[in-house]
Amino acid sequence: MKIADLRREYALKELSEADVDRDPIKQFGTWFNEAMDCEIKDANAMSLATADKNGRPSCRIVLIKGFDVNGFVFFTNYQSHKGNDLDENPFAALTFYWQGLERQIRIEGAVEKISAVDSDDYFNSRPEGSKVGAWASPQSQPISNMELLDNERDFQQKYRGHEIPRPPYWGGYIVKPEMMEFWQGRPNRMHDRIVYKKTGPNWKIERLAP
């Protein structure tokens, strides 16, 4: 089969302005909980798109680790590719895609580092192996496989029997939404799209053409 011939219909649900919460964060929570209840695999996975100072984009999958009225939180090495992008251009776009529910959510907004205290709290909740990995991996830098194994071994030895602190170059970012779009697949590509746009302290809700 040709790639161009790959297609399927979407017909599970509908979405209208009357269905959604006036607050997009609450609407996100409703959909996220439904994805969890339906046991969507990796429901917390999202694409994260960033761009450098020249506007050259890059995109990767990361895991959301929290959300509230302030925004959406993920963690990484500040010296990684995405960390360098965010230093130069502190804006990002997120996309969640839940195939089992025929849904996606797009989010765009400014990005800030979360507090050191909040980064410490999350780091301290991680398994020991993940903590060691944060120290051992010079994320996004060229390495040999043996170098990484040696680094991991060295840090395991260094912190054996001790509390592992958070590396100063590792922590959380929060994407503070300015736009959120909820997409529900519909037959004949007539998909439902409801978009929220931030206007001061309020949100404006519109339907977009599919």
Side-chain angles (χ1 to χ4, degrees), residues 89-136:
N89 187 357
F91 296 90
L94 309 174
T95 302
F96 292 83
Y97 177 58
W98 298 317
Q99 179 178 348
L101 292 170
E102 298 177 351
R103 287 174 173 172
Q104 64 176 317
I105 303 174
R106 297 195 309 111
I107 301 164
E108 297 175 1
V111 183
E112 300 174 359
K113 289 179 180 176
I114 66 173
S115 71
V117 171
D118 288 340
S119 286
D120 286 341
D121 286 345
Y122 173 70
F123 187 83
N124 291 335
S125 74
R126 302 181 90 204
E128 182 175 304
S130 296
K131 293 179 183 178
V132 170
W135 281 100

Side-chain angles (χ1 to χ4, degrees), residues 16-198:
S16 72
E17 296 91 323
D19 296 329
V20 297
D21 197 285
R22 306 306 293 179
D23 182 334
I25 305 297
K26 291 181 180 178
Q27 180 62 37
F28 177 89
T30 296
W31 272 23
F32 187 81
N33 288 337
E34 287 185 32
M36 295 293 289
D37 290 343
C38 292
E39 299 183 350
I40 299 295
K41 188 175 182 180
D42 298 325
N44 60 331
M46 60 187 184
S47 66
L48 165 67
T50 57
D52 64 19
K53 62 183 178 183
N54 297 315
R56 183 179 291 274
S58 61
C59 190
R60 75 289 288 163
I61 301 296
V62 300
L63 301 179
I64 186 175
K65 290 299 180 180
F67 69 92
D68 59 21
V69 295
N70 298 306
F72 300 83
V73 175
F74 66 93
F75 292 84
T76 190
N77 186 315
Y78 294 144
Q79 299 170 352
S80 65
H81 188 151
K82 53 188 170 296
N84 290 333
D85 277 359
L86 291 170
D87 280 344
E88 296 177 353
N89 187 357
F91 296 90
L94 309 174
T95 302
F96 292 83
Y97 177 58
W98 298 317
Q99 179 178 348
L101 292 170
E102 298 177 351
R103 287 174 173 172
Q104 64 176 317
I105 303 174
R106 297 195 309 111
I107 301 164
E108 297 175 1
V111 183
E112 300 174 359
K113 289 179 180 176
I114 66 173
S115 71
V117 171
D118 288 340
S119 286
D120 286 341
D121 286 345
Y122 173 70
F123 187 83
N124 291 335
S125 74
R126 302 181 90 204
E128 182 175 304
S130 296
K131 293 179 183 178
V132 170
W135 281 100
S137 175
Q139 191 173 346
S140 301
Q141 304 303 313
I143 59 164
S144 69
N145 187 55
M146 187 57 67
E147 177 185 351
L148 188 61
L149 292 175
D150 288 343
N151 286 348
E152 185 176 20
R153 199 174 297 118
D154 289 345
F155 281 107
Q156 285 176 338
Q157 181 64 34
K158 178 178 179 179
Y159 290 115
R160 181 167 290 129
H162 300 281
E163 185 67 29
I164 302 175
R166 176 177 63 89
Y169 50 80
W170 190 99
Y173 289 97
I174 184 168
V175 180
K176 303 172 81 66
E178 299 164 3
M179 187 285 298
M180 294 181 64
E181 180 189 310
F182 295 80
W183 179 99
Q184 179 70 61
R186 299 289 294 131
N188 301 318
R189 298 299 186 265
M190 299 298 288
H191 309 304
D192 291 328
R193 297 173 63 192
I194 304 295
V195 65
Y196 297 72
K197 294 181 180 178
K198 196 75 176 286

